[in-house]
Amino acid sequence: MSLDRFGAAGWVRLDWPWLGPLAAADHGGPLLAWMGSVIRLRRGAGGPPGYGNDPWWLRQEHQAATMAGQLRVLGKEKKAPGSGTMWRAAVPAEQRMLITSTLDSVQEQLLQLRGVHSGPTADVARRLLRGLGHSAGLIENAWKRTALAAVNGGVPLQEVARWVDMPVEVLREMLTADGRDNGG
């Protein structure tokens, strides 16, 4: 049974339609790890070294934080420069996932361009330029999402504008226009 079939069978039976999109966005998270361990148990296959066959075993980064650990994080956030908060605390998980996903797409797109250096000049140039143009659009998307996340996280717009070497008014217009275009 694949993870797709496992998931579809599980959340359809449980009437949890929200679980499908969550599992799709949860790369390497506890939900996917649990699903994988259940499938390995069903197949009779062992897990990776150190995992064992316990479906309820969690890697340390997925375990709940202790109160002392949470207080240390809060203390660091108070002392953090800029907005005074840490990235993971200020930027919602969905937005962080979209930025990471976009960067992964850029990386994949650029890797595909490595092998297109043979053939007629026009064909190679066309493939390279189209691929680079698509990558540039993805990078711009990630750039805007990151700048918007920084501003929404409390970093002053003037500081973000200085980092991206852009006048404050131009950056403000880009971010507000992008928010209107995306329904936000």
Side-chain angles (χ1 to χ4, degrees):
M1 175 180 281
S2 71
L3 282 177
D4 291 336
R5 283 187 38 222
F6 174 87
W11 47 81
V12 167
R13 284 187 191 151
L14 295 172
D15 193 30
W16 291 347
W18 52 266
L19 194 55
L22 177 64
D26 187 28
H27 305 290
L31 177 61
L32 222 53
W34 175 78
M35 290 168 59
S37 65
V38 169
I39 290 170
R40 281 191 301 276
L41 276 173
R42 194 161 178 223
R43 289 181 179 163
Y51 276 59
N53 284 329
D54 182 5
W56 303 111
W57 179 83
L58 283 175
R59 292 190 307 212
Q60 185 173 0
E61 61 265 22
H62 295 147
Q63 294 176 10
T66 64
M67 183 58 74
Q70 290 175 352
L71 289 172
R72 279 194 297 276
V73 168
L74 284 173
K76 285 181 184 177
E77 286 181 5
K78 293 283 186 198
K79 297 175 188 172
S83 67
T85 60
M86 302 299 277
W87 177 258
R88 292 181 66 85
V91 180
E94 297 82 18
Q95 195 167 8
R96 292 191 321 261
M97 190 269 308
L98 285 171
I99 292 168
T100 301
S101 174
T102 303
L103 293 174
D104 290 344
S105 296
V106 170
Q107 184 178 15
E108 182 179 322
Q109 180 74 31
L110 291 173
L111 284 173
Q112 290 176 3
L113 294 177
R114 292 186 106 168
V116 299
H117 297 284
S118 63
T121 303
D123 290 343
V124 171
R126 178 180 43 80
R127 285 193 305 257
L128 282 171
L129 289 171
R130 284 186 178 168
L132 289 169
H134 182 69
S135 295
L138 291 171
I139 289 171
E140 182 177 355
N141 181 297
W143 178 91
K144 285 180 181 178
R145 286 183 191 280
T146 304
L148 187 61
V151 171
N152 288 343
V155 178
L157 185 65
Q158 295 79 5
E159 198 167 346
V160 176
R162 193 175 73 240
W163 295 338
V164 297
D165 195 26
M166 179 179 284
V168 174
E169 298 76 27
V170 174
L171 179 61
R172 179 181 292 118
E173 181 62 31
M174 286 179 76
L175 295 179
T176 54
D178 191 53
R180 285 192 303 266
D181 292 344
N182 292 331

